Amino acid sequence: LVGSEMCIRDSFKTALELKPDYFEVNFNLGLTLQQFGRLDEAVENFKSAIKHSPDYVDAHASLGNVLKQLGRLEEAIKSYEKTIAIKPNYAEVHNNLGNVLRDFGRLNDAAKCYERAVTIKPDFIVAYNNFGNVLRDFGRLNDAAKCYKKALELNSNFAEAHNNLGIVLMELGKHNEALRCYKNAINIK
């Protein structure tokens, strides 16, 4: 794997030597470095892509993802917000921003992000699950259950939604229904 990593990186670097402002190469090298766990280098490549193409939405989104992986959450928020400023209907980035905001305890803002994500993309299963999680944080258990059920309506094999629905049902005192959810989650994963 190390040899192939070096070969790939060298190919990208050769392309950048020929054309240093080739922002797509910087972006693709960033993605590759991210896959190899070289996150700090990935950040620099995404930033370079953005420097040469300031409205390159995927570079901003990917930068946010890597910054989140690095635990640089405030920077990740800024990157996601910039992405949304460029492309307001980027459902995945609204979801990712919601995750970071939830980590910060900014539950109202996170809920708005998840709601926006599912409004933009009504079949966004992961966003429904995340929306359910933040509603559960608020103690809005019935609303959380609706989100998990919507995720399961879209994909009945989504183990996390079965598990999360089970948790909410337990909290609502619906033990038999919760048990069924847990069994479904276990059977899937």
Side-chain angles (χ1 to χ4, degrees), residues 129 132-133 136 144-152 161 164-165 168:
N129 187 64
N133 291 339
R136 183 173 168 259
K146 287 177 189 175
C147 286
Y148 300 135
K149 287 176 182 178
K150 180 64 177 178
L152 292 169
N164 291 335
L165 180 57
V168 167

Side-chain angles (χ1 to χ4, degrees), residues 32-89:
T32 302
L33 290 165
Q34 181 182 9
Q35 288 177 339
F36 286 121
R38 313 262 309 256
L39 301 182
D40 290 319
E41 291 176 72
V43 166
E44 293 311 311
N45 279 275
F46 291 136
K47 285 183 177 180
S48 183
I50 291 166
K51 175 184 166 192
H52 296 295
S53 182
D55 289 337
Y56 192 14
V57 70
D58 289 332
H60 285 284
S62 295
L63 177 60
N65 293 340
V66 172
L67 291 168
K68 183 180 187 304
Q69 281 181 274
L70 287 167
R72 294 164 55 182
L73 301 182
E74 290 180 15
E75 293 174 79
I77 289 171
K78 288 178 185 172
S79 189
Y80 290 142
E81 288 173 341
K82 177 65 177 174
T83 306
I84 291 168
I86 298 166
K87 186 178 177 183
N89 288 331

Side-chain angles (χ1 to χ4, degrees), residues 1-14 32 36:
L1 191 64
V2 173
S4 65
E5 176 186 349
M6 288 175 46
C7 181
I8 292 168
R9 191 182 65 225
D10 290 346
S11 296
F12 283 123
K13 289 191 179 217
T14 300
T32 302
F36 286 121

Side-chain angles (χ1 to χ4, degrees), residues 16-182:
L16 287 172
E17 287 170 6
L18 296 171
K19 189 173 182 197
D21 63 344
Y22 196 178
F23 60 91
E24 290 98 339
V25 171
N26 275 298
F27 173 72
N28 288 326
L29 179 54
L31 290 176
T32 302
L33 290 165
Q34 181 182 9
Q35 288 177 339
F36 286 121
R38 313 262 309 256
L39 301 182
D40 290 319
E41 291 176 72
V43 166
E44 293 311 311
N45 279 275
F46 291 136
K47 285 183 177 180
S48 183
I50 291 166
K51 175 184 166 192
H52 296 295
S53 182
D55 289 337
Y56 192 14
V57 70
D58 289 332
H60 285 284
S62 295
L63 177 60
N65 293 340
V66 172
L67 291 168
K68 183 180 187 304
Q69 281 181 274
L70 287 167
R72 294 164 55 182
L73 301 182
E74 290 180 15
E75 293 174 79
I77 289 171
K78 288 178 185 172
S79 189
Y80 290 142
E81 288 173 341
K82 177 65 177 174
T83 306
I84 291 168
I86 298 166
K87 186 178 177 183
N89 288 331
Y90 202 151
E92 290 78 9
V93 174
H94 283 280
N95 179 69
N96 293 346
L97 177 57
N99 291 338
V100 176
L101 292 169
R102 184 172 178 238
D103 289 347
F104 263 111
R106 293 174 52 188
L107 301 182
N108 286 323
D109 294 332
K112 289 176 189 173
C113 289
Y114 299 134
E115 185 172 27
R116 181 77 179 128
V118 298
T119 299
I120 294 166
K121 189 174 177 182
D123 63 345
F124 196 173
I125 299 161
V126 172
Y128 278 109
N129 187 64
N130 291 336
F131 195 12
N133 291 339
V134 80
L135 291 171
R136 183 173 168 259
D137 292 341
F138 282 124
R140 294 174 50 190
L141 301 180
N142 289 315
D143 291 331
K146 287 177 189 175
C147 286
Y148 300 135
K149 287 176 182 178
K150 180 64 177 178
L152 292 169
E153 176 185 310
L154 294 166
N155 180 357
S156 62
N157 290 317
F158 188 25
E160 289 81 1
H162 281 290
N163 181 65
N164 291 335
L165 180 57
I167 292 168
V168 167
L169 291 170
M170 282 293 290
E171 291 173 350
L172 290 169
K174 299 178 180 182
H175 303 282
N176 288 333
E177 291 177 57
L179 184 60
R180 279 193 295 276
C181 289
Y182 293 139

